[in-house]
Amino acid sequence: MFDCFRKAAPKKLVNIGCGSTYHPDWENYDLVPAQPEIKKIDLERSLPLPGKSYEAVYCSHVLEHLSRSRVPQVLKEFARILQPGGICRIVVPDLEQIARQYVNVLEAAKNNRTEAVYQHGWLTLELFDQMTRTWSGGFMGKWLGLAAGPIPDFISQRIGAEASRNQKPEAGEPLEFFARLFSQPEGWSAKAELEFQGSGEKHRWMYDQISLRQLMCMAGFAEIVVRRHNESNITNFVAYRLDSDSEGRPRKPDSLFMEGRAP
Ligand SMILES: C[S@@+](CC[C@H](N)C(=O)[O-])C[C@H]1O[C@@H](n2cnc3c(N)ncnc32)[C@H](O)[C@@H]1O
């Protein structure tokens, strides 16, 4: 049969809340589609997708943007649309990893090690700025926007490509740096803050392997396991490069990767 007469096989893989990270072999959905080939979906509502129809659901760095009370229903929806035995892969910022690093650098910062003082400042932003910011990017965006700043390599290790790869290291006085960092940006206003609050950019909760396992278990998933970025029960997952960068490193190193099997 000529290729042009062959009907495209329906995709059996779905990426929900894909942002700009997607692969054409998947059905890709987002609340705010970044490209015409991405379809609109809202996880605050029941998913307009047929039951028992997908081999895999992938949802990366999305659940933390939803209210904690909505997430159990979302995971139940993922279980509903998966074929029996299908794989649900959830990726979120890993609260455990951030908390462990925070405690480590806190100890070093107590000894006034300048680098550790900066690392402590950055990890504090990972913990709080993402949940409390009042304008897009928040204090993290302000730090990343600097042409020169402290600990660029540490930040790259933490968050991967989102860090400015061009940022030049600049050793300075932490007190002075943080005084400059923690000021509102020009143009900030209460009205702009109000508009920003509805944008969905802020994190509304954080998860670790205990809380995410509980949620996946409650949604009916079995065989729930923590994965590495390049490890999955989804066939050929690594080839789609959803969790790896072009050099095979984790795309978002601050992540927790978990998979479960649908009943
Ligand atoms: C931090 S981005 C992650 C994008 C991508 N999955 C990744 O790993 O890079 C969060 C994405 O979730 C989407 N999102 C937020 N709330 C959503 C909702 N209620 N329904 C569907 N997508 C949502 C946003 O539009 C955004 O593209």
Side-chain angles (χ1 to χ4, degrees), residues 172-202:
E173 178 47 55
L175 282 185
E176 217 176 83
F177 175 80
F178 287 117
R180 265 189 289 130
L181 181 72
F182 287 121
S183 60
Q184 276 164 341
E186 262 177 50
W188 179 90
S189 68
K191 184 168 174 281
E193 174 177 341
L194 209 62
E195 281 163 13
F196 169 73
Q197 296 303 350
S199 73
E201 177 180 317
K202 268 183 11 177

Side-chain angles (χ1 to χ4, degrees), residues 127-156:
L127 281 168
F128 297 112
D129 179 57
Q130 303 192 89
M131 299 184 93
T132 62
R133 63 183 52 164
T134 58
W135 69 90
S136 184
F139 293 118
M140 273 173 124
K142 220 172 150 191
W143 187 324
L144 295 175
L146 299 173
I151 60 165
D153 292 344
F154 177 81
I155 296 175
S156 281

Side-chain angles (χ1 to χ4, degrees), residues 48-95:
L49 303 175
K52 296 191 190 317
S53 44
Y54 294 95
E55 289 166 13
V57 173
Y58 170 75
C59 183
S60 163
H61 285 252
V62 177
L63 295 190
E64 70 274 15
H65 294 273
L66 307 177
S67 73
R68 175 62 182 76
S69 56
R70 177 68 193 155
V71 171
Q73 195 52 43
V74 167
L75 290 173
K76 280 185 190 145
E77 281 287 273
F78 291 171
R80 177 184 68 77
I81 65 173
L82 278 166
Q83 297 169 356
I87 301 297
C88 176
R89 182 176 176 96
I90 303 291
V91 186
V92 285
D94 186 357
L95 174 58

Side-chain angles (χ1 to χ4, degrees), residues 12-257:
K12 295 285 181 200
L13 307 163
V14 62
N15 180 353
I16 300 189
C18 63
S20 307
T21 304
Y22 62 98
H23 189 283
D25 286 359
W26 293 60
E27 271 178 30
N28 299 295
Y29 291 91
D30 200 283
L31 182 63
V32 188
Q35 297 294 336
E37 62 265 37
I38 300 171
K39 295 181 205 150
K40 188 173 166 77
I41 213 163
D42 184 359
L43 286 168
E44 296 293 342
R45 297 159 187 268
S46 305
L47 303 183
L49 303 175
K52 296 191 190 317
S53 44
Y54 294 95
E55 289 166 13
V57 173
Y58 170 75
C59 183
S60 163
H61 285 252
V62 177
L63 295 190
E64 70 274 15
H65 294 273
L66 307 177
S67 73
R68 175 62 182 76
S69 56
R70 177 68 193 155
V71 171
Q73 195 52 43
V74 167
L75 290 173
K76 280 185 190 145
E77 281 287 273
F78 291 171
R80 177 184 68 77
I81 65 173
L82 278 166
Q83 297 169 356
I87 301 297
C88 176
R89 182 176 176 96
I90 303 291
V91 186
V92 285
D94 186 357
L95 174 58
E96 175 182 358
Q97 194 205 110
I98 301 175
R100 284 187 189 281
Q101 289 243 20
Y102 168 79
V103 172
N104 285 342
V105 300
L106 180 76
E107 290 308 321
K110 283 180 189 170
N111 296 324
N112 268 333
R113 277 187 37 215
T114 304
E115 188 167 290
V117 173
Y118 280 125
Q119 291 172 350
H120 168 269
W122 175 262
L123 288 162
T124 306
L125 295 188
E126 281 192 41
L127 281 168
F128 297 112
D129 179 57
Q130 303 192 89
M131 299 184 93
T132 62
R133 63 183 52 164
T134 58
W135 69 90
S136 184
F139 293 118
M140 273 173 124
K142 220 172 150 191
W143 187 324
L144 295 175
L146 299 173
I151 60 165
D153 292 344
F154 177 81
I155 296 175
S156 281
Q157 279 164 25
R158 290 290 313 150
I159 62 170
E162 280 175 59
S164 162
R165 298 228 178 263
N166 301 324
Q167 195 174 66
K168 305 247 176 328
E170 185 182 76
E173 178 47 55
L175 282 185
E176 217 176 83
F177 175 80
F178 287 117
R180 265 189 289 130
L181 181 72
F182 287 121
S183 60
Q184 276 164 341
E186 262 177 50
W188 179 90
S189 68
K191 184 168 174 281
E193 174 177 341
L194 209 62
E195 281 163 13
F196 169 73
Q197 296 303 350
S199 73
E201 177 180 317
K202 268 183 11 177
H203 292 184
R204 299 174 78 183
W205 205 261
M206 292 193 74
Y207 300 91
D208 53 34
Q209 60 171 291
I210 303 296
S211 50
L212 190 54
R213 180 184 297 275
Q214 284 168 355
L215 283 161
M216 292 179 79
C217 189
M218 285 189 300
F221 291 103
E223 298 175 37
I224 300 163
V225 282
V226 175
R227 294 290 191 197
R228 287 169 46 82
H229 69 286
N230 55 2
E231 193 188 43
S232 177
N233 261 341
I234 302 170
T235 310
N236 286 334
F237 181 76
V238 175
Y240 298 118
R241 292 239 305 263
L242 294 172
D243 284 335
S244 308
D245 68 14
S246 54
E247 285 155 57
R249 296 172 305 203
R251 182 174 64 87
K252 293 195 167 187
D254 59 337
S255 302
L256 167 67
F257 309 90

